[in-house]
Structure formats: structure tokens, C-alpha cells
Amino acid sequence: MNSRGEVKIIASAFGALRQDVIEAYPAEAAAPAEEFDWEHPFAYGGAPTDEWLNTVDAPAAPEAELPKGADLSVLQGAQTTSYAPVVLSQKDAQEDGRAIDAPTSLGGDSVARAGSKDVPYTSRDESIRIGSKTLAQIRSDFPILSEKINGNPLVWLDNGATTQRPQAVIDRLSYYYEHENSNVHRAAHSLAARSTDAYEGARSIVRDFIGAPSSDEIVFVRGTTESINLVANAYVKPTLEPGDEIIVSILEHHANIVPWQLIAQETGAVIKVIPCDESGQLQLHEYEKLFTKKTKFVSVTHVSNVLGTVTPVAELIAIAHRHGVRILIDGAQSVAHIPVNVAALDADFFVFSGHKIFAPTGISVVYGKKELLEAAKPYHGGGNMIADVTFERTIYNPVPNKFEAGTGSIADAVGLGAALNYLSEIGMPCIYRWEHELLQYAMKEMKTVKGLHLIGTALNKASVLSFKLDGYADEEVGQRLDSYGIAVRTGHHCAQPVLRHFGYEGSVRPTLALYNSPDDIDALVKVLRTFA
């Protein structure tokens, strides 16, 4: 460790490119998906007892593309590289002459509201059934989809950044503030009882939605970023000694990189990085090689927020456990799109944010096995997390309250419960199947746009359609799309390492959700063709 307290991050050598991709859901190879005929009605429904509702098909493999200008030698065998980064403030970085990439995402919209709102669906949407609802009904459940942006119907393709809220969630929040608003756990009056029941009821809903064994294993905090920081500081950091190792992947969002850098810098630990192949899938054979007797923890995304890669989490967890190592799965980009059962996966920790699953901002979930949460130290101190306090000593509450110091986001937790109930009513397996069909349709149509290059073509892929367009800056593409009412994200998406691995500093990123329609894809492609 040098004078700046820098900590080495040891990156695994990128091994030879593999043709085989180990899939997360299911283990068997799936037959190629048939081209879908959008002109004929179909349904993704069925009885709860139907066998197919309890299975998840693996998506067909799109044709892999190597990004234009990418150096294949970088992706192939290389000697192990050591990094020595340090976490700096912007001021310190500027003084050292280090460039800091500012976010390049577009700002606010100029919204011209229609005098009377149009219905946000077409006759084609009425013929598409997703579980218990038609696509037309689902789109009608989201009031904001009737908005006009620059005189055009809103096409919301920025779901990777945040999703919109159904009326059921909006109404549940209003009801809470009108009839239940109070602090929880610490009063004898009726509103406190109502508020506590609503808050703890939401915890039970989360438990059931992700298949957790106990409500005591569900902790509410403010966002996935805080969730990962909690696990890093409360559970992992106390176990670290100089030279201990933490494994992450090259696909990670900054929220699953920087917290580990911070605790590694403080403790003298090192970080190892799982590489990916040219399609964006993690290389499991290289992952296995990273483990040593010094490996203490693994933290990996479930779905890449830039590439859409669905990582083989079942295998990642099994390999970690085979080496006696605990693992966290970042489900921020998966939980709204893929059925999740943390008990079946045997995940040690699983985290996600409410606002990316149709719930309010300011609420997220940490699932942790009870024995691990009990072994972890309190993250914040204050009211609610304590059982007894004197000046000589403090006794804190059992889990999950020991991690919920102060007044939490009570109404937002209640809203999260409403959002999960909404999805459960439709059916997560049905949502997964629908989004897979829409993703395949979108990829097929986008490949017809001259000069467009998709980034991320893993065999198992979900929801994300990042691309580059030859001759045009990402911001220019995003601004023209916005002029037609189409909202996408541009910039580095808080995932600079993986973008730079593919030779880019940013991308244009449309992302899908259950309410997106074929018409949304058609509108996107129509505007993209105007660049040719």
C-alpha cells in the first residue's frame, strides 16, 4: 500500500474466446425461438397449475457481433494485469490531472400536455394477453403513458434507469397518507398500528415475491447502492485482512464496484475481476480460477445494466459455495423481468431497488440469510434499531430492525408491496415470456438500421438494447428520439469498465418493461432510420 492508500485490484486474464455459453435458466439447451406473427392474437396466460408457468425458457441466441473498432487481442489471452486505483474526490482528481467523465444523460423534458388524454394503446395491444391482463389493460394501468412529449405520445424506453408506476401503486400511496400515516413500532395509538401493519405487511409481500424463507431476512433501505454498501460494511469488512480477496465481474454497475474498492482500500484487501467473452457473457472457467484460500466474498450482477446479459447466477453461487465463499447477487436489473427465488438459488444476499420494479423511489431491499444478518454488525446507529441504551452500553434489536435505524421510507415500502402485488397478479413467468418475445422483435428490427451496432449479444439476455450509431454522438441520437417523444438513456450508465472493455465511452440504451409494446419498437426504429 502506497502513500495514497491505494489498493491493488487484480484482474483475471481474459482467456480464449468460448463458443459455449452456460445458461442460467434453464440448464438444458432451448430450441430456437420461432419468428412471432404480430398480426395474430396470442396469450401468455394459463392456469396456475400449468407446468409451463413454473419453468423459464432460455432465449434463443442472437447473432454475436463484435463492436466496430474493438480490439480482439484485448478480448483474447493476455497476461494478468494489476490495477492500483484510488477512490478520490473530484477536486483531488482535478488537482492530480485525472479526467473525470461527467454523466451525459439528457436532462428534463418540455412536456406539452394534451387537453384530453388519449388511450395509451392500439388494437394490436388488445390482442396480446400477458397473464391475467391484456397489454392494452396493462398500458392503461400506467397513467403517465398517456402523456405527450413534444407533441408526441410518450414512448418510455428508459426502464433501466427507472420504471413508471401503475395506478394501483399511486392509489396505495395516497391511501397511506390519507388514512395510515404515522411512524411505526413506537406508539400505542391507532394510526401507529395501521402504519406498522402496512409496513410489516409490505415486508411479508417482498418475502413471498422473492421466495425468502422468513420476513426477518428482509431489510428495507433506500436503494440498491445503499444495500450493497450495507453488506460490504456490516458483513464483509469486519472479516477482511490485508491480502484477502473480493471477486466482482467486469459487468458491474459502479454501485457494485466502488463500495468494494472503499473497504479494500481501508483493509488492504484486493479485488479480482471475472472476465466476459465477446458476446458479454461471463466466463465461468475463468471465474473458478480466481478462488484461493484468501477469497472472502463474491458480488455479481444478475443482469448487466449495459449489455442485458443474464449471468448464470445458479452456477456462480454454486461455485462460490464449493469454495466456502459467500456471495451477493445484485438484482436491480433482473427482479422486474425474471422470476426470482432466493431460496432455490441458495443466494446468501440478494438486493434490488423499488423504483426499478414499478414502486416508489427511496426504497430498496436487502435479502440476507438470517444467520448472516445476525453475524453482521449494525450499519447505522439510532432509534428503532435499539432495544436498550445507557451511556455505558447499547443493546440493539434483532434482525431486520437492527439495520433500520431511524424513520425509514414507510410509505415507499408500502408502495413497493403494492407494486409486487400488481406483478404477482399478472404473473412473473408470463411477464418474462412476453419481454423475451419483445426483446427478440426489437433486436431483429434494430439490426435493419444502417450503421447501428448492438452492444451485448449474450445467449441469455434481458430487457437492454444498448447500441452505437455510426457517425452520430450518443447525445445527438438521444435528443432526436426525445423530439419524437421517445425516452432513452445516453452516457456511460454508471458502468464504465464494461463499456471500455468493448471500446466505448458511452452508448444509447433503450430498455424494456412489461408495458412496452411492438408499437414502441416500431416508433424507435422509424426515428433511427432517419439518421441514414
Side-chain angles (χ1 to χ4, degrees):
M1 190 172 290
N2 63 20
S3 59
R4 289 187 171 277
E6 298 177 351
V7 57
K8 288 184 178 180
I9 297 182
I10 304 174
S12 168
F14 296 134
L17 299 178
R18 295 175 59 191
Q19 297 300 317
D20 61 311
V21 177
I22 299 176
E23 302 176 22
Y25 300 102
E28 307 83 38
E34 297 180 359
E35 182 175 348
F36 187 73
D37 182 1
W38 293 108
E39 300 303 322
H40 293 83
F42 67 97
Y44 285 97
T49 55
D50 289 350
E51 183 177 351
W52 69 269
L53 277 172
N54 298 312
T55 62
V56 181
D57 291 343
E63 181 182 354
E65 298 177 5
L66 194 62
K68 186 176 180 180
D71 185 354
L72 187 60
S73 65
V74 174
L75 297 172
Q76 292 179 324
Q79 293 185 350
T80 300
T81 304
S82 295
Y83 299 96
V86 63
V87 182
L88 300 172
S89 68
Q90 289 192 357
K91 180 179 179 182
D92 289 340
Q94 289 168 354
E95 290 175 353
D96 284 0
R98 299 172 185 262
I100 288 185
D101 293 329
T104 55
S105 302
L106 296 175
D109 299 318
S110 174
V111 181
R113 301 179 69 91
S116 60
K117 290 188 176 182
D118 299 324
V119 293
Y121 59 86
T122 65
S123 58
R124 178 161 62 174
D125 299 337
E126 293 177 310
S127 70
I128 299 172
R129 176 165 287 277
I130 307 168
S132 65
K133 292 175 177 276
T134 66
L135 181 56
Q137 290 172 324
I138 289 171
R139 290 182 62 82
S140 294
D141 288 340
F142 290 81
I144 202 167
L145 297 183
S146 295
E147 284 294 312
K148 299 285 186 179
I149 304 295
N150 298 320
N152 297 284
L154 171 64
V155 175
W156 185 256
L157 294 173
D158 195 19
N159 297 289
T162 198
T163 53
Q164 300 300 342
R165 284 51 167 169
Q167 190 64 53
V169 171
I170 297 169
D171 289 346
R172 185 65 186 93
L173 286 173
S174 295
Y175 184 88
Y176 173 84
Y177 282 119
E178 290 171 355
H179 301 286
E180 299 168 328
N181 184 44
S182 169
N183 215 323
V184 295
H185 300 152
R186 300 190 296 273
H189 56 74
S190 296
L191 285 185
R194 292 182 191 176
S195 182
T196 299
D197 287 346
Y199 185 67
E200 295 302 331
R203 200 188 305 274
S204 298
I205 293 169
V206 174
R207 175 201 65 205
D208 295 341
F209 188 83
I210 64 171
S214 169
S215 296
D216 291 342
E217 298 173 316
I218 304 300
V219 178
F220 288 133
V221 289
R222 295 176 299 172
T224 299
T225 299
E226 184 176 0
S227 296
I228 295 171
N229 275 277
L230 186 156
V231 175
N233 285 277
Y235 180 75
V236 181
K237 181 179 172 181
T239 71
L240 296 178
E241 297 178 355
D244 284 343
E245 301 161 352
I246 301 165
I247 296 174
V248 299
S249 85
I250 194 170
L251 304 181
E252 303 309 317
H253 188 283
H254 295 165
N256 204 21
I257 299 174
V258 180
W260 306 112
Q261 289 180 325
L262 288 169
I263 67 168
Q265 182 174 329
E266 292 180 35
T267 62
V270 298
I271 296 173
K272 293 181 173 180
V273 182
I274 312 167
C276 68
D277 62 22
E278 79 282 2
S279 75
Q281 185 54 276
L282 295 182
Q283 296 178 306
L284 288 183
H285 61 293
E286 294 295 330
Y287 170 58
E288 181 100 46
K289 294 176 185 177
L290 297 177
F291 286 89
T292 73
K293 293 181 179 180
K294 300 289 285 182
T295 304
K296 288 297 180 68
F297 200 75
V298 179
S299 189
V300 185
T301 187
H302 194 175
V303 171
S304 165
N305 74 311
V306 170
L307 308 181
T309 300
V310 181
T311 63
V313 290
E315 288 87 349
L316 293 167
I317 292 168
I319 290 170
H321 288 174
R322 187 159 65 242
H323 290 274
V325 176
R326 301 294 188 176
I327 182 170
L328 176 149
I329 302 299
D330 176 0
Q333 295 290 338
S334 67
V335 72
H337 312 284
I338 299 172
V340 170
N341 187 302
V342 294
L345 287 171
D346 197 22
D348 297 308
F349 296 95
F350 186 92
V351 299
F352 67 92
S353 292
H355 74 100
K356 291 181 180 174
I357 191 167
F358 316 105
T361 55
I363 190 70
S364 73
V365 169
V366 177
Y367 159 78
K369 290 179 178 176
K370 190 172 182 180
E371 66 271 21
L372 304 184
L373 293 177
E374 289 174 341
K377 296 183 180 297
Y379 182 46
H380 292 147
N384 193 53
M385 57 81 66
I386 55 87
D388 188 75
V389 176
T390 70
F391 285 110
E392 290 77 23
R393 59 94 182 96
T394 290
I395 301 172
Y396 51 78
N397 275 323
V399 296
N401 300 97
K402 105 180 190 184
F403 298 109
E404 296 180 1
T407 299
S409 298
I410 302 167
D412 298 329
V414 173
L416 173 60
L420 300 186
N421 280 340
Y422 177 82
L423 294 177
S424 296
E425 178 186 345
I426 296 170
M428 283 304 300
C430 303
I431 292 169
Y432 173 83
R433 287 171 174 266
W434 161 242
E435 289 190 13
H436 171 58
E437 292 288 349
L438 190 61
L439 180 72
Q440 295 300 311
Y441 176 70
M443 292 179 70
K444 176 184 174 183
E445 292 299 305
M446 290 172 71
K447 286 180 179 180
T448 67
V449 177
K450 183 179 179 181
L452 187 147
H453 306 278
L454 288 169
I455 306 173
T457 55
L459 179 66
N460 205 354
K461 179 179 168 75
S463 71
V464 182
L465 295 159
S466 290
F467 69 89
K468 300 291 286 188
L469 196 58
D470 287 348
Y472 295 94
D474 300 335
E475 292 77 12
E476 183 179 357
V477 177
Q479 288 167 356
R480 185 178 300 186
L481 289 169
D482 180 64
S483 71
Y484 287 89
I486 303 170
V488 299
R489 184 70 39 169
T490 64
H492 58 60
H493 317 301
C494 291
Q496 290 170 305
V498 67
L499 276 168
R500 287 170 176 166
H501 171 70
F502 283 98
Y504 302 120
E505 286 296 318
S507 73
V508 183
R509 189 191 69 176
T511 42
L512 306 175
L514 82 159
Y515 43 59
N516 286 122
S517 70
D519 295 308
D520 291 343
I521 304 305
D522 294 344
L524 170 69
V525 172
K526 182 178 180 180
V527 176
L528 291 176
R529 285 179 177 149
T530 66
F531 287 93

